Amino acid sequence: MTPFTSITSVAAALPEANIDTDKILAAQYLKTISRAGLGSKLFSSMRYDAEGAERPGFILNRDGWRGAGILIALENFGCGSSREHAPWALLDFGIRVIVAPSFADIFYNNCFNNGILPIILDRAQVDQLIVDSRELTSATLSIDLPSQTVTRANGVAWTFDIDPDRKQALLEGRDDIAAALAQDEAITRWEEESALIAPAIAGIGAV
Amino acid sequence: MNAGPRTIFQKIWDAHAVASAGGDNSLLYIDRHLVNEVTSPQAFEGLRAAGRAVRRPEKTIAVADHNVPTEHRDRPIAEQESRIQVETLERNVAEFGIPYVPLQSRAQGIVHVIGPDLGLTLPGLTIVCGDSHTSTHGAFGALAFGIGTSEVEHVLATQTLRQSPARNMLVRVEGALAPGVTAKDLILAIIGRIGTGGATGHVIEYAGAAIEALDMAGRMTVCNMSIEAGARAGLIAPDETTFRYLEGRPLVPSGEDFERAKRIWLDLQSDLGAHYDREVVIDAAQVAPMVTWGTSPEAVTTIDGRVPDAEAASAPEKQQQMRRMLDYMGLEPGTPVAGLSIDVVFIGSCTNSRIEDLRAAAAMVRGRRVADGVRALVVPGSGMVKAEAEAEGLDAVFRDAGFEWRQAGCSMCLGMNPDRLRPGERCASTSNRNFEGRQGPGGRTHLMSPAMAAAAAIAGCITDIRTF
């Protein structure tokens, strides 16, 4: 996984609750067998019209925000389908941080597994960041994971909470699978003991 | 280990916590891993790149469902990208030794339909799949949830998953559902009440007389859409209804083993005095047939309701969102939901494609004709459901009425196969999501029960089955 430490970038706001993963990456783009190249399909229905031309009003189509590395969103961002193609598309576009009052659970996990930092702030703070993001003079944010701070263009810094283990994993770019495989003894012991208690959970067998 | 009286969720969690995974997190053992063609290619690629094997292929099962066409199964898949995705799955399962249900098998179908069909979904198990509707399997008292592709790779390699603890939410549905009101109406009403993010961070346990009265198909419909309320999982304690459904299925233990398993499964129910972080009580008698009007499952009303007015919303951004929904859906505020004319009817999906759903739909259709200009599809959830329906003559009922009778797959629930809405088409659908473009770019989805969708096909418009 790509490590994450800090970023200073323009932030783009999508001030809408319940943005689902179908909207982040539509189903017709899920037919890939690769993780790469989905950035151009990100938010396709909001970003492009039916003919494939850019909608000039959409924030990521506006000069100054095209290279945004930080996204500001509202409640329940990433709800719906579990598709990891959504964070792959965000990452491919260049988004490394998403700030919102809340996230859907599966999407939240998927972000961490791809080196994207999802930050939960109070709604009032998110509203302030949305206002900041409207003018390029105030749209730049600095996010620092070691100190868990979001610093606005005017120098005001806010702290955010994060699970300490998640934080460590992001800073290291940790391979979670290697970490779990190191627990092989405990996993094997569980398998042996459970086989004695509950025969019903044995293997699936031939279908 | 959770101390004191425990919920069914905590019992399953405790039984599967293999080791601590830093802080409050646990490494959770996974008993069943269901794999599909869309969310697995990159996971297998990751295994190959790291030189890793699949730890327990015998606890894994793979099937193609999202991409597969629902007609002409004897021919190769015409869309190249879909064909490549299915072929990639076939290569991967062969290389890693994973049991696979081929497209030509009678058992093939939507992964969340074939799990229960085959009896590989059992109470007390942990079940995961790279698909958010894995919550379906919670109907059996299993802890079942959707995961991303990185997690699919993690489970393939380790048979475990790193999980943070969830909060417990109880949804108690008291009383009895009225005639014509189904499990689908109930879950839509629950989502309308708590909102699409209402259960975020929680596992929902459904209980109460109205839940106990549901058959397994109804319980699966309810648990299936838990994710539409933001829940990590939804589950229902196993009881005699569960055991009756399970007994005799191909992969369910039999004889003495089944009796022993039943005793273990009965102990799963939540202890008296178990703590819930949140409780919601629903009066089943108050639930009416439900229909969504917007592009989020929480945008729902009763069949006698009207399309709401955006101006009535509390915050400016909510008003804007509602206006956008109404604009996308092509609806005027104040329009009665009943009477909205429709172009397409879709009966299928992991929410409502089981034999019970098809029987309920057929009961509305028998001896009638699909309205002129309406395209109507019935897509059984699995080959086994299809065969059972055909043995009962339901295929003839649908065909005689002018429905298309298709082969099993996800079909028009999502725009990944040839079954899609065209821009602007309005669809009465038994699926689970009415998101913008979900059934095809520009398509307009109204979610409802199988009986309601069938009645809409006959009437040519959304209609109240209680007076149909």
Side-chain angles (χ1 to χ4, degrees):
Chain A
M1 188 241 289
T2 329
F4 179 91
T5 310
S6 63
I7 185 176
T8 296
S9 168
V10 165
L14 291 176
E16 200 177 304
N18 304 318
I19 291 187
D20 56 72
T21 52
D22 274 80
K23 208 174 247 177
I24 299 172
L25 194 81
Q28 58 265 37
Y29 306 119
L30 301 185
K31 298 188 184 193
T32 173
I33 55 171
S34 147
R35 291 174 192 241
L38 293 171
S40 60
K41 316 287 193 279
L42 180 70
F43 298 121
S44 57
S45 66
M46 300 161 93
R47 216 162 133 203
Y48 309 114
D49 64 20
E51 279 71 47
E54 282 189 358
R55 294 181 199 273
F58 185 64
I59 186 71
L60 297 177
N61 291 335
R62 290 175 57 192
D63 289 339
W65 285 270
R66 285 178 185 276
I70 300 167
L71 206 61
I72 317 290
L74 293 183
E75 288 82 3
N76 203 25
F77 187 78
C79 62
S81 162
S82 62
R83 59 189 68 168
E84 199 164 313
H85 308 67
W88 294 339
L90 287 160
L91 190 65
D92 193 56
F93 180 87
I95 301 290
R96 294 301 306 274
V97 175
I98 307 166
V99 184
S102 64
F103 292 89
D105 285 316
I106 304 175
F107 178 82
Y108 188 71
N109 289 339
N110 286 344
C111 282
F112 281 106
N113 287 330
N114 288 282
I116 296 175
L117 171 62
I119 297 177
I120 298 172
L121 289 181
D122 290 343
R123 175 64 199 258
Q125 292 174 308
V126 172
D127 284 342
Q128 182 60 57
L129 296 184
I130 291 170
V131 172
D132 286 357
S133 75
R134 288 192 187 129
E135 298 297 333
L136 276 178
T137 48
S138 56
T140 297
L141 288 181
S142 291
I143 313 286
D144 185 62
L145 181 55
S147 63
Q148 296 176 216
T149 50
V150 174
T151 306
R152 292 166 55 202
N154 64 4
V156 172
W158 293 329
T159 57
F160 59 88
D161 285 333
I162 182 173
D163 174 316
D165 190 60
R166 292 276 202 204
K167 176 179 174 179
Q168 200 51 38
L170 268 185
L171 289 171
E172 292 169 15
R174 184 173 73 199
D175 177 352
D176 272 339
I177 296 178
L181 287 173
Q183 303 267 21
D184 181 63
E185 217 172 288
I187 301 172
T188 304
R189 195 168 55 241
W190 190 95
E191 286 175 330
E192 287 165 1
E193 286 170 5
S194 71
L196 295 176
I197 313 164
I201 64 165
I204 289 166
V207 177
Chain B
M1 176 73 90
N2 293 288
R6 294 180 297 165
T7 63
I8 177 172
F9 162 62
Q10 289 165 329
K11 290 181 186 186
I12 300 174
W13 177 282
D14 289 344
H16 289 82
V18 170
S20 165
D24 294 340
N25 307 302
S26 294
L27 206 57
L28 214 58
Y29 195 84
I30 302 302
D31 297 315
R32 298 279 189 266
H33 185 191
L34 317 173
V35 173
N36 68 44
E37 81 280 19
V38 179
T39 57
S40 70
Q42 297 85 349
F44 285 111
E45 198 48 50
L47 290 182
R48 259 193 296 274
R52 288 169 177 149
V54 174
R55 180 184 175 92
R56 294 289 169 214
E58 76 278 12
K59 297 192 179 195
T60 313
I61 192 162
V63 69
D65 55 6
H66 285 61
N67 271 283
V68 303
T70 57
E71 50 189 352
H72 312 306
R73 233 1 118 61
D74 48 326
R75 300 180 203 160
I77 299 176
E79 280 187 38
Q80 191 191 15
E81 285 182 301
S82 294
R83 190 174 67 245
I84 289 172
Q85 220 166 38
V86 173
E87 287 169 355
T88 303
L89 179 68
E90 289 174 346
R91 260 204 317 281
N92 285 329
V93 295
E95 179 183 338
F96 289 93
I98 290 169
Y100 175 61
V101 185
L103 269 189
Q104 312 305 335
S105 165
R106 184 175 169 272
Q108 186 272 342
I110 306 173
V111 67
H112 308 308
V113 177
I114 72 169
D117 263 1
L118 297 171
L120 58 84
T121 302
L122 296 173
L125 301 189
T126 50
I127 302 175
V128 299
C129 174
D131 186 283
S132 61
H133 291 109
T134 309
S135 57
T136 311
H137 307 266
F140 293 80
L143 175 60
F145 51 94
I147 56 178
T149 298
S150 297
E151 294 173 313
V152 169
E153 185 179 339
H154 194 289
V155 177
L156 288 171
T158 70
Q159 205 58 37
T160 65
L161 203 55
R162 193 185 164 291
Q163 281 287 294
S164 59
R167 291 189 287 277
N168 286 274
M169 178 167 175
L170 179 67
V171 174
R172 200 168 62 242
V173 189
E174 293 175 341
L177 294 171
V181 181
T182 68
K184 181 65 163 285
D185 303 303
L186 174 59
I187 188 63
L188 284 171
I190 292 170
I191 295 164
R193 166 102 163 255
I194 68 175
T196 194
T200 303
H202 292 76
V203 167
I204 300 178
E205 178 178 347
Y206 300 95
I211 297 293
E212 287 163 25
L214 290 176
D215 60 17
M216 290 314 294
R219 293 181 188 187
M220 283 188 256
T221 301
V222 169
C223 289
N224 171 278
M225 289 191 71
S226 301
I227 182 71
E228 264 46 81
R232 287 211 201 160
L235 43 63
I236 296 170
D239 59 10
E240 285 303 322
T241 303
T242 321
F243 304 149
R244 267 197 309 277
Y245 178 97
L246 288 173
E247 195 165 15
R249 291 191 179 260
L251 302 173
V252 173
S254 56
E256 253 320 290
D257 283 344
F258 186 68
E259 293 308 314
R260 200 165 136 225
K262 260 171 44 175
R263 287 194 291 277
I264 294 171
W265 294 337
L266 280 171
D267 280 341
L268 286 169
Q269 60 180 282
S270 295
D271 295 329
L272 216 61
H275 171 74
Y276 293 92
D277 301 277
R278 199 173 154 203
E279 290 193 35
V280 174
V281 178
I282 306 269
D283 179 3
Q286 298 302 313
V287 179
M290 304 294 283
V291 177
T292 64
W293 52 263
T295 56
S296 167
E298 70 179 15
V300 66
T301 185
T302 54
I303 181 65
D304 48 12
R306 288 168 185 271
V307 175
D309 194 337
E311 310 311 315
S314 48
E317 107 248 351
K318 286 219 167 90
Q319 295 180 358
Q320 202 180 346
Q321 201 154 2
M322 274 177 76
R323 277 194 289 268
R324 188 184 155 96
M325 280 191 191
L326 296 184
D327 179 52
Y328 180 86
M329 292 296 292
L331 294 172
E332 289 298 324
T335 312
V337 169
L340 282 175
S341 59
I342 44 119
D343 307 298
V344 178
V345 171
F346 170 57
I347 297 172
S349 88
C350 60
T351 310
N352 280 126
S353 64
R354 298 179 179 82
I355 188 69
E356 295 83 351
D357 299 318
L358 303 191
R359 285 179 193 139
M364 293 291 138
V365 167
R366 197 168 271 115
R368 291 163 154 154
R369 288 286 308 167
V370 171
D372 285 345
V374 172
R375 179 161 64 114
L377 266 68
V378 184
V379 188
S382 72
M384 286 167 79
V385 170
K386 180 167 183 278
E388 199 175 351
E390 287 170 358
E392 295 178 16
L394 302 186
D395 59 324
V397 172
F398 286 118
R399 280 194 169 119
D400 291 349
F403 280 82
E404 297 176 39
W405 177 249
R406 297 292 190 85
Q407 285 167 301
C410 295
S411 184
M412 205 184 270
C413 177
L414 84 174
M416 283 200 72
N417 57 72
D419 303 338
R420 262 172 241 161
L421 293 182
R422 286 183 282 268
E425 278 186 330
R426 191 176 296 285
C427 178
S429 178
T430 67
S431 55
N432 40 57
R433 288 191 177 131
N434 50 356
F435 298 158
E436 279 184 31
R438 172 78 183 183
Q439 295 191 285
R444 294 163 170 167
T445 306
H446 294 274
L447 302 175
M448 62 191 78
S449 74
M452 288 278 288
I458 305 301
C461 62
I462 295 175
T463 189
D464 190 343
I465 52 166
R466 295 171 302 182
T467 51
F468 182 62

